[in-house]
Amino acid sequence: MRRIFCEGPNVLRGHFTPQGSKNGVLPLLAASIIFDSVIKINNVPYIEDIKTMISILQNLGISCKFVNNSIIVDSRDIKSFEIDWELASKMRASFDLLGSLVFRCSKAVVPFPGGCLIGNRKVDMHLWITKQLGFDVQIESGNVVVNDFDENHVNEEIKFWIPSVGATKNATFLGMFVSNSTNKTVIFHNVAIEPEITYLWDFLIQNGANIYYDEEKRVLKIGPSKLVHSSVITVDNIPDRIEAGTYAIAACATRGNIWIEDNFDKKYSVKNMLSKLWEVLKEIGVDISCLHDGIEVKIVKPLSSFEISTDVYPGFPTDLQPQMVSLALSVDGVSVVRENLFDDRFVYVGELLRLGADINVVGNKVATVYGGKNLKGAPVRATDIRGGAAILIACLMSEGQSVVSDVYQIERGYESIVEKMSKLGARVFEEDQKPLTKSGQEILR
Ligand code: EPU
């Protein structure tokens, strides 16, 4: 199992180019199943979750290749509608293929998903929506089996009880199937409007889907669609707002500065997609300049402690919650971080305590962080993707050597993190690179 060695304290400084969005490419891959064309997705990061998704698609008999940061998918000869249990158990987004498989094959067998251990992560609303849309849904040997669409049992107007990202993806593809089969319009209320979702809708609209959405009202309307047929449909994936936010927070936590390249469309620019983060960082004293081709994040004065509460988009992203706890450790005073989306997203805190952090978590909902204390390097373990990133940030801040194990958790979401951090001046090393100090060698033994 690979590890990362980190010699601290560090200051991150320099230029950073965000990878393509992990959570942006996954719905595009799901969408690629519904077209009778080859789909080419550009700007794709080479990370574990994407590799797993490629394997899942290949396992269905779909041709799916990763070539130079692009994925080329040809699902015209799809051979199966049953997702492999072992592959599905590696990631949550495997479940998001349910809707597109049904669109394509009129049925689907999808195992209960895996993914980060950050709470219960139920799929009850996915199943409820599928039934509301007129499908028979059974649970058999750990699989969800969707079958037998009955147009006499379609509820044409459905209200989500939470604006779930995954359920919105499935509702989109199932809604398209139902609308095409019945010639009726299906309306969903209280849907997710994360940029990765609206970008999926934009892509589908551009390619013939009869979709209308209103972000303010969280409404999605789907009418009968005629999808385009073309030899190749090309789509550029959006930048990864969470990766960009992670590096911005890491630069602040280490009192460095970073220039984040940002030249994507206005709506899908990092500036726009992370506006809540910029707002919070400005409030605590970080100097943020949003320019047309980038964002400059600079520390010009002492930072103050803060309170944040995660929420669905456009609220503060839960995927940056752990990284903000590490930032809070660097700031004098008491900060409070509330998690409102997941019921167990503070698992990583136990690892921060090994570095000497003083954090109190109550009811898995609220972390009170007593910041400004000296952190000391230690062996730690990456618990999940974002928790792992937070742990690495805290290691950068700590004095002496830290060794992060279970690095694959971080690598599920972050491309070349050691290389990128090294370029920003961090003394971080892969397992096979030599650590700097004696103390490091002691830990190694
Ligand atoms: N939920 C239910 N029932 C459902 C569906 C969801 O109770 O049927 C609950 C979940 O248990 C969770 C909350 O609703 O507590 C939010 O779940 P949601 O469906 O919105 O999230 P997701 O689709 O599982 C995606 C991202 C996550 C990100 C969340 C929230 C992908 C592949 N994953 O997860 O990303 O945290 O939306 O924005 O898009 C990550 O990248 O590290 C990550 C965890």
Side-chain angles (χ1 to χ4, degrees):
M1 214 167 286
R2 285 187 344 93
R3 295 176 293 177
I4 295 176
F5 295 84
C6 173
E7 186 68 34
N10 291 275
V11 180
L12 294 195
R13 282 200 190 95
H15 185 111
F16 169 77
T17 307
Q19 67 187 30
S21 166
K22 166 177 88 74
N23 293 344
V25 74
L26 292 169
L28 295 175
L29 281 171
S32 68
I33 298 185
I34 73 170
F35 287 95
D36 258 337
S37 311
V38 172
I39 308 289
K40 182 171 183 234
I41 308 169
N42 296 325
N43 193 26
V44 180
Y46 196 57
I47 51 176
E48 291 307 314
D49 274 14
I50 303 297
K51 292 182 209 168
T52 304
M53 197 61 153
I54 290 176
S55 302
I56 290 175
L57 295 179
Q58 288 172 338
N59 209 262
L60 296 170
I62 295 170
S63 158
C64 188
K65 285 181 281 193
F66 192 101
V67 188
N68 298 332
N69 275 84
S70 296
I71 298 186
I72 299 158
V73 190
D74 182 352
S75 66
R76 286 174 293 184
D77 290 328
I78 183 168
K79 292 193 172 50
S80 170
F81 50 82
E82 289 186 39
I83 294 183
D84 176 70
W85 182 86
E86 205 165 317
L87 291 168
S89 67
K90 292 187 180 172
M91 69 189 301
R92 172 84 177 171
S94 54
F95 205 76
D96 302 345
L97 292 175
L98 182 150
S100 50
L101 275 176
V102 169
F103 183 96
R104 186 61 193 257
C105 309
S106 307
K107 47 186 146 185
V109 177
V110 183
F112 275 83
C116 287
L117 298 173
I118 51 182
N120 256 327
R121 306 194 78 179
K122 294 199 283 188
V123 291
D124 52 346
M125 204 172 66
H126 293 249
L127 305 187
W128 177 78
I129 291 164
T130 311
K131 286 180 191 160
Q132 291 293 306
L133 286 170
F135 294 91
D136 180 56
V137 178
Q138 301 292 334
I139 298 187
E140 288 169 16
S141 316
N143 293 316
V144 173
V145 181
V146 181
N147 218 318
D148 294 335
F149 171 64
D150 179 353
E151 63 177 290
N152 298 316
H153 284 96
V154 174
N155 179 354
E156 289 154 40
E157 196 149 359
I158 296 173
K159 185 167 183 203
F160 286 35
W161 62 81
I162 36 169
S164 152
V165 169
T168 302
K169 288 183 237 174
N170 272 331
T172 301
F173 298 116
L174 293 170
M176 286 175 70
F177 175 96
V178 170
S179 185
N180 281 2
S181 308
T182 60
N183 228 12
K184 290 179 182 156
T185 298
V186 184
I187 305 174
F188 298 99
H189 296 273
N190 200 28
V191 293
I193 52 154
E194 268 64 7
E196 296 77 13
I197 295 290
T198 60
Y199 196 71
L200 165 70
W201 293 333
D202 292 350
F203 166 70
L204 292 171
I205 292 166
Q206 269 162 28
N207 291 289
N210 183 358
I211 287 179
Y212 163 84
Y213 66 91
D214 181 326
E215 284 162 272
E216 292 216 338
K217 295 190 178 136
R218 293 188 177 274
V219 169
L220 169 68
K221 287 186 191 171
I222 302 177
S225 304
K226 269 210 174 114
L227 296 178
V228 299
H229 288 269
S230 138
S231 51
V232 183
I233 297 173
T234 303
V235 54
D236 292 332
N237 182 27
I238 56 175
D240 197 314
R241 63 190 168 107
I242 303 302
E243 192 214 22
T246 300
Y247 279 80
I249 295 168
C252 295
T254 60
R255 300 298 184 269
N257 55 62
I258 194 167
W259 168 265
I260 299 172
E261 203 175 290
D262 190 26
N263 36 32
F264 216 79
D265 276 12
K266 197 170 176 289
K267 179 173 174 190
Y268 298 104
S269 64
V270 176
K271 281 184 277 296
N272 186 51
M273 294 190 291
L274 277 183
S275 54
K276 200 73 194 172
L277 174 68
W278 310 132
E279 195 183 303
V280 171
L281 293 181
K282 276 181 190 169
E283 265 168 33
I284 69 171
V286 181
D287 189 50
I288 307 279
S289 310
C290 289
L291 305 167
H292 76 282
D293 57 348
I295 304 137
E296 189 169 29
V297 179
K298 264 193 312 199
I299 303 292
V300 289
K301 59 180 181 195
L303 303 184
S304 42
S305 55
F306 55 87
E307 278 199 31
I308 55 163
S309 231
T310 63
D311 205 349
V312 294
Y313 193 80
F316 195 92
T318 171
D319 290 343
L320 291 177
Q321 174 262 96
Q323 299 87 320
M324 288 300 282
V325 166
S326 291
L327 174 60
L329 290 172
S330 75
V331 174
D332 283 341
V334 182
S335 295
V336 178
V337 176
R338 275 190 194 81
E339 173 58 48
N340 294 316
L341 266 73
F342 291 104
D343 48 24
D344 198 9
R345 205 171 198 175
F346 287 110
V347 180
Y348 65 91
V349 165
E351 301 300 308
L352 297 182
L353 300 184
R354 294 179 200 278
L355 301 167
D358 190 355
I359 304 169
N360 215 9
V361 178
V362 178
N364 286 340
K365 280 275 151 220
V366 185
T368 306
V369 185
Y370 302 90
K373 309 208 164 140
N374 285 339
L375 302 180
K376 287 214 173 103
V380 283
R381 186 178 64 84
T383 50
D384 57 271
I385 305 177
R386 311 303 171 190
I391 289 161
L392 189 55
I393 294 173
C395 291
L396 293 174
M397 293 154 49
S398 301
E399 216 172 289
Q401 190 160 60
S402 299
V403 183
V404 185
S405 55
D406 290 354
V407 171
Y408 71 92
Q409 291 283 6
I410 304 177
E411 289 172 340
R412 287 183 47 213
Y414 294 89
E415 190 175 40
S416 313
I417 194 160
V418 168
E419 197 184 316
K420 285 187 170 188
M421 290 218 164
S422 298
K423 274 195 187 142
L424 293 168
R427 282 167 297 159
V428 284
F429 312 89
E430 312 255 9
E431 175 90 62
D432 48 1
Q433 293 172 301
K434 231 178 165 191
L436 272 186
T437 63
K438 272 189 180 166
S439 64
Q441 281 159 3
E442 274 155 26
I443 292 177
L444 254 178
R445 271 190 239 124

